[in-house]
Amino acid sequence: MLKNVDRGFVWRLFPFFVGFVAISIQTVFVRLTLSIFQGNEIALCIVLGHWLLLTGVGSRIGAKLRCKNVLRLITFIGIVYVLLVAASSILCVFSKKLLGLPLSEILGVGPIFFISFVVLVIPSILNGIFFPLLVKAVDDAGIAFPVHKIYSYETFGSALGGVFIGLFFFSGLNSFEALFVVLGIFLFVFLALGRKGWLLKIMGVFIGVGLVFLFVFNRQIVNEVWKPQTVEKCVETRYSSVVVASYQGMRTLFSNSSPLWVFGNEEKREELVHFPLLYHPRPETVLVVGTGNYELAFEVLKHKSVNRVIIIQKDRVLQSELNSYSNFYGMDTKSTGKVKFMTGDPVRLLERFKTKVDVVILNIPLPTSAYLNSYYSLYFISRLKDVMKKGGILAFHLPGGERFLSREHVEYLKVIGNTAQKVFKHVYWIPGNTIHLLATDIVLDVNFDVVVSRLKQRKLDVKYIREYYLVDRLSPFKIQFLNDLLAECKVKKINTVEKPIGFYYETILWDKKTGGILKDLYKFLNKLNFKYVYLVFLTIPFILLTKNKKEKTIKFVIFSIGFISMSLVGLYVMIYQSYAGGIYLKIFLINLGFMLGAGLGARIIVREERLLRLGMGMAFVSVLLLSGVGILLIKFSVGYFMYDILIPVLTFFLGVNCGFLFPVLTGLLEKIGGKGVAKTSGIGYSLDVIGACIGIYVISAIFVPVFGLLNSIIFLVVYSIFVIGMGLFFTRIQA
């Protein structure tokens, strides 16, 4: 069948470029969907889960396909793949517009699930079809160990693809530009290596011209998406998609479609700044962690005692845009000289922060992810206190309500208050649509007269935070009402990195606002004893062991390897971000480590049965040990530099084990089932990626918010022990 084509091209370059383009497309779609869905971590889990699940479905479909000319079919699917991926990317960014929704509208679990499924269904299924077809092509060519070789070269391609897509983003290309470049490379390779035919050539040329057109005019696509607003600036940073858009004279900066800063909005600035500063007797140095610019600094410098404003922002490009569009309000050189901007991860910057400050304004987005939750955790609040002077004030800004707060909302506020009170002696609450929490070691008098007296004494030129406004805002009745609600709440939990309670409550409030079902699941599991979770998840392997179902057991072990590996990678990323700062582009190093490890592991071909059992035993034990290392990383601090080394190394060894186990277990499955190597490889591959999908859904999106990092990783250790036992037990069938 492969007379006119060098067989080495089939099992080296084809799977290599399939892996290369698959990881690139996955990364681009994650960035696009996060931009559409406001960067929510639950949305990320849904998108990645869909990609893996539908890839598994595609693999099962590919295992059932029958074709005499497999290489021609692969070439045709590759060309169609390029066309449909490009179309799906356009559909993704226009999805809200097609549904008649504003781009900045916050969606619930249901709409996110539906939109991402529609966008990813065809590209993901086509991506899954490649693996079993490539295995069949190599097997038909008489090349030994086809599963090992296709799997290894596909993972090597994914490793390099992850690096290249990272470099594309780093060089300044946006998601569309990077995607169209990758698709162009993929199209060229498939036309060059695939079966020749005038129809395929014509299709390829037309699609190639379309890609060039889309690459050139991608900015116009962005402008259409944002209408009726006028896009003044659109740039993708390492961390988010940043758009500055104007409408009817109002200019707003959006990060991942969520409004981050409205330029010239005096009410918002005054709300953020003046409550904590007015309660401090004489603020001199003010630290803003998160979103801030010259407009915010101008508001702070209205307090004449302030001689230094320091703003910490993780994103250098975002900070540049925040500053370049700021209204300086006539600030002179002397005033701007009092403002210092520090760009970098706040966790690491605070570690070497030398200045002691009077007031800290925490202007970080709410804890909608385990990473953002770390900024509201006991660990980070303790770091903030380390840079504060005696008697300093830390200000949080939390969602509130004038008339009503739900039980979950009150519990959420109580948890943040409990956490702050673990570090500071006193906490004070200011009610309103934005609730301010002030944490300090000194006693504050929060009544109306004190604030108005300082307002007049400092002669502040303010428009909103004035006496007539404060009469209502600082009403003793409102303050007492909020304090009574919090006093009646019996929740004693603390928000920690290990147990991200803030993430749990923020997700419930988001789901409640958008009418989803996740809140009910979270609350049910939160009341459930964790031992019942073990009981449910360990029942299946126990039944399989007792019934001695060899084929089903091997299938379950393959599924579990995908489940454990993806769960561990997700947990490693969360551990890194929570203890060592944002991972950002370092995610490509983790991907590189895992994929290189998987490729090398798949190249380990063991022929002797005795060594096979020994190798499987060592691999399973390694997976168990790698699970256990996560517990040590949570319980013991090892320093930022060690996290930079340990996490990629751990994912590399995890990849080695998974890469070794997958083809070996697939080989065992083929011997038991006798369904042929191509069909069995499709089944095994689908089980592996569906297991990874369930790992994303269950561990990252459910277990971590509800049960915490530590319980999640302990669960994986116990689960791994069961899977190890099953795997080692059934390797005896080789004897």
Side-chain angles (χ1 to χ4, degrees):
M1 104 142 217
L2 301 172
K3 293 179 181 177
N4 300 324
V5 181
D6 185 344
R7 294 185 305 176
F9 282 141
V10 176
W11 59 266
R12 284 190 177 93
L13 291 182
F14 263 142
F16 179 88
F17 277 101
V18 167
F20 181 95
V21 78
I23 194 68
S24 302
I25 291 170
Q26 181 194 92
T27 304
V28 168
F29 272 109
V30 164
R31 284 177 71 99
L32 288 176
T33 49
L34 285 182
S35 174
I36 297 297
F37 302 138
Q38 285 83 29
N40 187 297
E41 192 164 279
I42 303 298
L44 171 63
C45 293
I46 291 172
V47 171
L48 284 177
H50 278 352
W51 177 269
L52 294 168
L53 177 65
L54 294 167
T55 296
V57 172
S59 182
R60 294 300 288 264
I61 293 172
K64 296 178 182 296
L65 291 178
R66 295 290 179 266
C67 180
K68 292 183 179 179
N69 195 332
V70 179
L71 188 56
R72 189 178 184 85
L73 177 60
I74 291 172
T75 307
F76 174 75
I77 292 174
I79 294 172
V80 174
Y81 182 55
V82 171
L83 175 64
L84 294 178
V85 166
S88 294
S89 68
I90 304 299
L91 176 63
C92 179
V93 295
F94 278 99
S95 57
K96 280 188 175 179
K97 200 153 195 163
L98 291 172
L99 293 172
L101 301 172
L103 196 60
S104 58
E105 181 165 330
I106 298 174
L107 299 181
V109 172
I112 291 173
F113 196 92
F114 171 75
I115 292 172
S116 56
F117 181 87
V118 171
V119 166
L120 295 174
V121 60
I122 295 178
S124 302
I125 288 176
L126 290 177
N127 179 62
I129 288 174
F130 285 119
F131 185 80
L133 288 181
L134 287 168
V135 170
K136 178 174 174 51
V138 172
D139 188 49
D140 289 349
I143 299 170
F145 301 104
V147 177
H148 289 75
K149 291 173 180 176
I150 295 299
Y151 187 81
S152 64
Y153 281 106
E154 186 174 317
T155 51
F156 284 143
S158 295
L160 188 62
V163 172
F164 266 77
I165 199 71
L167 291 175
F168 288 157
F169 290 138
F170 191 77
S171 68
L173 292 181
N174 63 34
S175 294
F176 276 133
E177 291 165 343
L179 176 65
F180 299 145
V181 168
V182 168
L183 290 178
I185 295 170
F186 185 74
L187 180 64
F188 174 80
V189 169
F190 263 53
L191 288 175
L193 299 181
R195 287 290 179 151
K196 305 300 186 287
W198 64 270
L199 182 59
L200 291 180
K201 286 182 179 180
I202 291 174
M203 285 177 61
V205 170
F206 272 105
I207 295 171
V209 171
L211 289 176
V212 172
F213 178 83
L214 290 172
F215 182 90
V216 172
F217 293 100
N218 75 88
R219 299 289 177 178
Q220 281 69 25
I221 295 173
V222 173
N223 291 339
E224 285 298 319
V225 170
W226 281 89
K227 283 185 176 179
Q229 298 186 78
T230 302
V231 176
E232 298 186 19
K233 188 69 175 286
C234 178
V235 61
E236 288 193 24
T237 76
R238 302 181 195 181
Y239 322 112
S240 67
S241 171
V242 176
V243 171
V244 179
S246 59
Y247 182 68
Q248 295 183 348
M250 180 180 291
R251 181 183 287 135
T252 305
L253 185 145
F254 295 85
S255 176
N256 286 335
S257 301
S258 183
L260 191 68
W261 188 265
V262 179
F263 295 96
N265 188 336
E266 293 178 77
E267 183 178 6
K268 179 68 173 178
R269 293 201 314 267
E270 291 183 11
E271 177 87 20
L272 286 172
V273 167
H274 293 303
F275 282 111
L277 266 68
L278 283 169
Y279 281 115
H280 194 284
R282 184 177 171 79
E284 295 179 349
T285 307
V286 176
L287 171 64
V288 179
V289 180
T291 305
N293 56 8
Y294 281 111
E295 289 188 359
L296 190 68
F298 167 76
E299 204 66 42
V300 172
L301 290 171
K302 287 180 180 179
H303 296 258
K304 302 304 180 186
S305 60
V306 175
N307 54 47
R308 193 70 164 162
V309 182
I310 303 168
I311 298 175
I312 292 179
Q313 168 60 245
K314 68 180 180 185
D315 191 339
R316 188 183 301 275
V317 177
L318 174 61
Q319 188 62 64
S320 175
E321 300 305 323
L322 282 166
N323 287 342
S324 62
Y325 287 93
S326 289
N327 188 330
F328 284 78
Y329 296 102
M331 289 175 67
D332 55 21
T333 306
K334 182 179 179 182
S335 296
T336 56
K338 295 179 180 179
V339 185
K340 179 181 180 182
F341 296 97
M342 300 176 68
T343 53
D345 193 273
V347 174
R348 299 200 177 194
L349 287 176
L350 286 176
E351 194 70 20
R352 56 179 186 268
F353 198 83
K354 302 300 181 184
T355 308
K356 292 290 185 179
V357 302
D358 298 290
V359 176
V360 176
I361 299 173
L362 189 63
N363 196 23
I364 292 280
L366 294 168
T368 55
S369 66
Y371 166 55
L372 288 174
N373 181 81
S374 65
Y375 291 114
Y376 294 83
S377 69
L378 183 65
Y379 174 78
F380 190 71
I381 293 172
S382 299
R383 301 288 77 76
L384 289 174
K385 187 178 181 181
D386 291 340
V387 303
M388 293 170 63
K389 296 177 184 176
K390 185 177 180 180
I393 296 175
L394 168 61
F396 299 84
H397 313 287
L398 302 166
E402 289 283 356
R403 299 176 182 274
F404 173 76
L405 295 174
S406 67
R407 181 173 59 84
E408 294 87 1
H409 199 150
V410 175
E411 290 177 357
Y412 174 33
L413 297 174
K414 186 66 179 285
V415 165
I416 302 300
N418 291 345
T419 308
Q421 208 155 11
K422 274 284 184 180
V423 181
F424 296 91
K425 293 179 181 178
H426 308 284
V427 294
Y428 299 91
W429 298 91
I430 300 172
N433 286 322
T434 297
I435 292 177
H436 301 278
L437 168 60
L438 307 180
T440 180
D441 283 334
I442 60 173
V443 176
L444 298 180
D445 190 345
V446 296
N447 70 56
F448 166 79
D449 293 331
V450 171
V451 176
V452 171
S453 172
R454 285 180 179 167
L455 190 66
K456 292 177 178 178
Q457 180 186 353
R458 297 178 189 180
K459 300 178 180 178
L460 297 181
D461 181 17
V462 288
K463 185 180 289 186
Y464 296 95
I465 306 296
R466 305 180 74 169
E467 187 171 351
Y468 69 86
Y469 171 79
L470 293 173
V471 168
D472 180 64
R473 189 65 185 274
L474 298 179
S475 160
F477 171 77
K478 288 187 174 181
I479 293 175
Q480 191 60 46
F481 176 73
L482 178 58
N483 285 331
D484 288 345
L485 284 176
L486 293 166
E488 291 168 7
C489 179
K490 302 305 179 185
V491 172
K492 297 181 180 179
K493 295 176 181 177
I494 304 296
N495 188 39
T496 63
V497 170
E498 180 184 312
K499 188 74 181 290
I501 305 294
F503 179 24
Y504 166 82
Y505 279 111
E506 184 61 35
T507 304
I508 286 178
L509 293 179
W510 161 66
D511 194 58
K512 197 169 185 177
K513 186 187 301 181
T514 56
I517 60 171
L518 203 57
K519 61 184 180 301
D520 300 315
L521 177 62
Y522 274 25
K523 288 189 280 188
F524 170 75
L525 291 174
N526 192 43
K527 295 175 183 177
L528 196 66
N529 192 311
F530 200 58
K531 65 183 179 183
Y532 294 117
V533 176
Y534 285 104
L535 183 64
V536 170
F537 274 84
L538 300 180
T539 298
I540 298 174
F542 180 77
I543 291 173
L544 290 173
L545 279 172
T546 55
K547 288 186 176 294
N548 199 27
K549 299 285 186 180
K550 294 180 180 179
E551 185 175 356
K552 289 183 178 179
T553 300
I554 294 299
K555 286 181 178 179
F556 183 76
V557 173
I558 294 173
F559 168 89
S560 296
I561 293 300
F563 176 85
I564 293 168
S565 61
M566 186 54 70
S567 298
L568 277 176
V569 170
L571 286 172
Y572 286 155
V573 169
M574 289 184 184
I575 290 168
Y576 184 98
Q577 293 204 125
S578 298
Y579 289 98
I583 200 162
Y584 315 131
L585 282 185
K586 293 174 189 173
I587 191 69
F588 297 111
L589 292 178
I590 290 179
N591 173 71
L592 177 65
F594 183 82
M595 291 301 178
L596 281 179
L600 291 172
R603 301 296 294 172
I604 302 172
I605 301 172
V606 182
R607 299 172 188 269
E608 294 184 32
E609 293 168 15
R610 178 178 57 84
L611 293 177
L612 173 65
R613 292 195 296 274
L614 177 62
M616 285 192 67
M618 292 179 64
F620 277 125
V621 172
S622 296
V623 171
L624 176 61
L625 291 175
L626 288 168
S627 304
V629 170
I631 298 175
L632 298 178
L633 290 176
I634 292 172
K635 298 303 289 184
F636 302 100
S637 178
V638 295
Y640 300 141
F641 179 69
M642 289 301 295
Y643 282 106
D644 290 338
I645 296 173
L646 276 176
I647 300 297
V649 169
L650 287 171
T651 51
F652 171 78
F653 282 107
L654 183 63
V656 169
N657 286 289
C658 294
F660 171 76
L661 288 170
F662 172 75
V664 169
L665 290 168
T666 303
L668 291 177
L669 186 62
E670 196 271 332
K671 288 187 177 182
I672 295 169
K675 296 178 181 177
V677 66
K679 187 171 184 179
T680 305
S681 68
I683 293 171
Y685 191 72
S686 68
L687 290 169
D688 183 48
V689 294
I690 290 173
C693 161
I694 301 301
I696 285 284
Y697 285 155
V698 173
I699 300 299
S700 300
I702 298 175
F703 273 35
V704 170
V706 178
F707 302 118
L709 285 171
L710 185 60
N711 281 333
S712 297
I713 208 161
I714 290 173
F715 166 80
L716 284 178
V717 171
V718 176
Y719 187 81
S720 299
I721 291 172
F722 268 75
V723 173
I724 286 167
M726 293 172 67
L728 290 176
F729 179 75
F730 278 98
T731 52
R732 295 183 303 168
I733 64 173
Q734 283 291 91

